[in-house]
Amino acid sequence: MTHTRIQPVLNRPGENALFIVLGLNQEDSITDTIIDFSANFSALTRSLTNRFPDAQFSATMGFSSHAWDQLFPNQSKPQELETFKEIKGPKYTAVSTAGDLFFHIRADRQALCYELGSIIQEQLKDVTHSIDEVHGFRYFDGRAIIGFVDGTENPEPEIAAEYALVGEEDLSFKGGSYAFIQKYTHDMDKWRALSDEEQEKVIGRKKFNDVELGDDVKPNTAHNVVSKAHDENGNELKIMRANMPFSNPSKNEYGTLFIGYARKFSVTRQMLEHMFQGDAEGNLDRLLDFSTAQTGTLFFVPTVDFLDGLGE
């Protein structure tokens, strides 16, 4: 029985992360260069992993709907891969922004993130242009920059693949994953003006020990209430988050790069619709009063086997 080799979407967020979004240039000649690079991507990452076995290095590569159409016109397409459509709510909007290729690089040593980032730039600079680059870091014990532990809603490692990886429902792309990214910036002056108790009601958890607030004190607008997704039977659906804080303090820039890996993008989208447009009771996510989505782009992260097969 052949074993499907998946990209490392299930890895922990790591100490450092580099998120790179590139756009494809318009020339017809770019396809071969990008296909060659993609076919060699697993060899490139394997080489760095082998050189620095203790650095917890990993990297994933994803493609937008537009890139898929341009690069693989004769291949079928993942069922839910589309250009993200903005979600406009009564107060705030989950914007849709450009992006064709996506790289999520993680390592305990920042030098390794830099190393792969510079190789990507060197090999793709003539066929792509930079759209965004975010340098994430682990903040204390895995906290977001607003001071609360992030990723607490992630499924347990034993069942994470069930929520993060495509299954039998789309056999051609089994083992792949839908990666949705949003760069949020936070109004820290406004956030710091809240007491710890008020902040806890925005998030729905205790700040110090991360214990969930009791239903008697937790508002219906709390982030961990509104941002849930459910199937038609009311069972909760999860995604795999690998969010990272980023900051340029001298520019008063504080943010979170949200990344959700999901078996179905429709699950992530349901979460976003609840946050921005309101859940079944019309509650909006109170966290959006302090956090602004600056970007929003959907990519598909195929299997390592798919990437390697591009070279044939």
Side-chain angles (χ1 to χ4, degrees), residues 8 13-14 20 24 31 77 112-113 115 129 144 153 158 163 173 176 182 188 208 216 224 240 263 267 270 275 293:
I20 295 174
L24 300 183
T31 302
K77 194 171 179 176
L112 282 167
C113 296
E115 184 70 5
H129 53 276
E153 299 291 322
E158 300 76 31
Y163 290 105
F173 297 102
Q182 286 176 306
M188 291 302 283
F208 176 69
D216 52 334
N224 68 354
M240 191 73 188
R263 176 176 185 160
V267 174
Q270 188 191 137
M275 289 168 63

Side-chain angles (χ1 to χ4, degrees), residues 6-20 37 40-61 103-120:
I6 62 167
Q7 292 201 62
V9 301
L10 303 175
N11 288 22
R12 64 187 182 84
E15 295 295 315
N16 296 279
L18 180 55
F19 302 93
I20 295 174
F37 174 87
N40 192 45
F41 186 67
S42 70
L44 198 55
T45 55
R46 203 159 46 243
S47 148
L48 281 166
T49 305
N50 291 338
R51 279 171 62 197
F52 302 98
D54 300 325
Q56 301 293 323
F57 168 81
S58 69
T60 61
M61 178 180 189
F103 298 94
H104 177 193
I105 308 166
R106 308 178 229 196
D108 285 352
R109 292 168 59 184
Q110 199 174 5
L112 282 167
C113 296
Y114 160 78
E115 184 70 5
L116 182 57
S118 67
I119 292 169
I120 291 168

Side-chain angles (χ1 to χ4, degrees), residues 7 21-42 44 61-64 66-73 75 99-103 119-130 299-300 302 306-312:
Q7 292 201 62
V21 178
L22 302 176
L24 300 183
N25 293 347
Q26 290 311 306
E27 302 82 39
D28 293 336
S29 56
I30 69 166
T31 302
D32 289 348
T33 304
I34 294 172
I35 296 239
D36 287 348
F37 174 87
S38 305
N40 192 45
F41 186 67
S42 70
L44 198 55
M61 178 180 189
F63 304 87
S64 71
H66 170 258
W68 196 278
D69 294 342
Q70 191 166 339
L71 298 171
F72 318 124
Q75 300 232 23
D100 289 316
L101 301 181
F102 170 62
F103 298 94
I119 292 169
I120 291 168
Q121 198 277 334
E122 191 184 337
Q123 296 195 9
L124 295 181
K125 66 178 186 290
D126 295 333
V127 294
T128 62
H129 53 276
S130 172
F299 302 92
F300 187 74
F306 178 91
L307 292 177
D308 286 1
L310 294 172
E312 291 164 11

Side-chain angles (χ1 to χ4, degrees), residues 81-307:
L81 181 58
E82 59 183 21
T83 300
F84 174 63
K85 299 174 190 69
E86 74 167 28
I87 299 171
K88 201 166 180 56
K91 287 174 81 175
Y92 307 111
T93 300
V95 295
S96 168
T97 52
D100 289 316
L101 301 181
F102 170 62
F103 298 94
H104 177 193
I105 308 166
R106 308 178 229 196
D108 285 352
R109 292 168 59 184
Q110 199 174 5
L112 282 167
C113 296
Y114 160 78
E115 184 70 5
L116 182 57
S118 67
I119 292 169
I120 291 168
Q121 198 277 334
E122 191 184 337
Q123 296 195 9
L124 295 181
K125 66 178 186 290
D126 295 333
V127 294
T128 62
H129 53 276
S130 172
I131 289 178
D132 200 17
E133 179 176 323
V134 175
H135 297 250
F137 62 93
R138 181 175 164 85
Y139 185 43
F140 294 125
D141 45 348
R143 292 176 185 267
I145 216 123
I146 55 173
F148 285 77
V149 175
D150 209 345
T152 49
E153 299 291 322
N154 273 345
E156 298 81 4
E158 300 76 31
I159 58 167
E162 192 184 313
Y163 290 105
L165 303 178
V166 173
E168 306 287 332
E169 68 280 353
D170 192 1
L171 271 177
S172 304
F173 297 102
K174 189 179 177 182
S177 188
Y178 292 91
F180 180 70
I181 62 167
Q182 286 176 306
K183 180 163 78 173
Y184 282 93
T185 49
H186 306 301
D187 184 337
M188 291 302 283
D189 293 333
K190 196 173 169 187
W191 179 250
R192 291 185 190 115
L194 299 182
S195 67
D196 280 359
E197 193 177 356
E198 289 171 316
Q199 289 181 0
E200 288 171 351
K201 287 183 175 173
V202 173
I203 301 297
R205 289 182 173 277
K206 286 283 191 188
K207 193 170 186 178
F208 176 69
N209 62 10
D210 194 38
V211 171
E212 193 159 342
L213 296 184
D215 291 340
D216 52 334
V217 291
K218 182 163 54 174
N220 293 330
T221 55
H223 175 64
N224 68 354
V225 175
V226 179
S227 63
K228 284 182 163 55
H230 298 90
D231 66 16
E232 59 276 7
N233 300 317
N235 301 311
E236 189 182 349
L237 298 169
K238 291 180 179 282
I239 61 173
M240 191 73 188
R241 296 172 177 83
N243 302 354
M244 288 295 264
F246 65 91
S247 180
N248 293 294
S250 66
K251 296 179 180 174
N252 194 31
E253 183 181 62
Y254 301 90
T256 301
L257 196 295
F258 165 81
I259 174 164
Y261 286 109
R263 176 176 185 160
K264 295 183 173 183
F265 174 62
S266 47
V267 174
T268 314
R269 186 164 182 100
Q270 188 191 137
M271 292 175 169
L272 295 166
E273 286 169 350
H274 289 171
M275 289 168 63
F276 284 84
Q277 293 178 329
D279 61 11
E281 285 76 49
N283 299 302
L284 298 171
D285 190 340
R286 176 92 166 92
L287 185 55
L288 295 177
D289 289 340
F290 309 90
S291 309
T292 304
Q294 306 288 357
T295 67
T297 323
L298 176 64
F299 302 92
F300 187 74
V301 175
T303 61
V304 173
D305 295 331
F306 178 91
L307 292 177

